[in-house]
Amino acid sequence: MLDANRSGTATAAPPATATEFVVPVPPVRRAGPAARCTRVLLSPYARLSLLLALLAGAAACVLLFEPQRLLTHGWPPQLGGAAAAGVFAVAYGLCTVAFVPRPLLNLAAGALFGSQLGLATALAGTVLGAGVAFGLGRLLGQEALRPLLRGRWLTAVDGQFSRHGFRSMLAVRLFPGVPFWAANYCAAVSRMGWLPFLLATGLGSIPNTAAYAVAGARASAPTSPAFLIAMACIAVPALAGTVVAWRKRHRLRGR
């Protein structure tokens, strides 16, 4: 640039040196041990390991302490009515997360609370247990397991749950055959939403749960029409689910 001196003549300004335009770069700070440990603990595979440890511990507790026997014998004994039903529903949900078979719990609900209250209690426990399992799988296992869905059959199941979540889960609940815990964690790994999962679980579990609750309530009279109808309602959907799964196996393999 040109600068004017006292005599009025323009003189060229000295060129700026390169150092005047250099922006200082702050030194890169390496993550400390605490940050590295936090990163490792929050990694997908660390969370998956935590989920597996929790499920293994829950299954071990069921095998050692057999909490389902407490429920079938009317635990807690000091409560009655709606309070006992509420405690039973919470215990029911936790037991399903720990792989206790739902048919046993449904029979116990019917035997302890009768057909109507037993059905309501068992459904509440079913939705609660499914929600807890879905949340654990979504929070601790989804990020680590989704990259492993490379097989043709696994990809087909994941696509079915992700695109048609409500109707797929409704079909799984209506036609027994897929274990309760397996359906929960498969749905958690997929992209199914919370609301379709819980609604389909609640609606689809009504027929089978009602049949078991009635069978449990009428277990003292195994020749009664109500007990025989309940057993038929248990057997027919199971047979229908087996037939549908057998006919759909080629379609899943072909995708």
Side-chain angles (χ1 to χ4, degrees), residues 55 88-100 102 105 121-137 173 180-185 194 197-198 201:
L55 296 180
F88 185 94
V90 174
Y92 181 114
L94 296 178
C95 285
T96 58
V97 177
F99 311 111
V100 175
R102 284 184 61 247
L105 301 175
T121 302
L123 282 177
T126 297
V127 175
L128 175 63
V132 171
F134 186 85
L136 288 175
R173 302 305 191 195
F180 183 72
W181 61 269
N184 294 336
Y185 291 111
W194 277 87
F197 172 78
L198 294 177
T201 297

Side-chain angles (χ1 to χ4, degrees), residues 97-219:
V97 177
F99 311 111
V100 175
R102 284 184 61 247
L104 176 63
L105 301 175
N106 292 334
L107 290 172
L112 295 174
F113 303 105
S115 301
Q116 297 180 357
L117 184 57
L119 171 60
T121 302
L123 282 177
T126 297
V127 175
L128 175 63
V132 171
F134 186 85
L136 288 175
R138 180 62 56 89
L139 178 64
L140 301 178
Q142 186 187 44
E143 292 185 14
L145 292 177
R146 281 203 64 81
L148 303 179
L149 300 177
R150 299 176 182 177
R152 182 177 300 176
W153 188 82
L154 292 176
T155 303
V157 172
D158 174 64
Q160 188 70 21
F161 275 123
S162 299
R163 292 190 300 269
H164 312 289
F166 178 79
R167 72 182 188 186
S168 299
M169 183 54 59
L170 185 65
V172 169
R173 302 305 191 195
L174 284 174
F175 298 102
V178 179
F180 183 72
W181 61 269
N184 294 336
Y185 291 111
C186 287
V189 174
S190 71
R191 294 186 176 91
M192 183 187 301
W194 277 87
L195 185 59
F197 172 78
L198 294 177
L199 284 178
T201 297
L203 294 176
S205 300
I206 291 176
N208 186 260
T209 305
Y212 276 103
V214 172
R218 303 289 182 173

Side-chain angles (χ1 to χ4, degrees), residues 19-88:
T19 57
E20 295 180 4
F21 299 99
V22 175
V23 178
V25 179
V28 179
R29 296 181 180 180
R30 295 184 178 181
R36 289 195 296 268
C37 291
T38 302
R39 190 180 307 164
V40 171
L41 292 176
L42 295 179
S43 65
Y45 290 102
R47 285 182 285 169
L48 177 61
S49 301
L50 176 60
L51 175 62
L52 296 177
L54 290 175
L55 296 180
C61 290
V62 169
L63 293 176
L64 292 175
F65 302 106
E66 298 183 352
Q68 67 274 15
R69 295 182 61 184
L70 298 176
L71 297 180
T72 55
H73 287 82
W75 181 87
Q78 65 273 17
L79 296 179
V87 174
F88 185 94

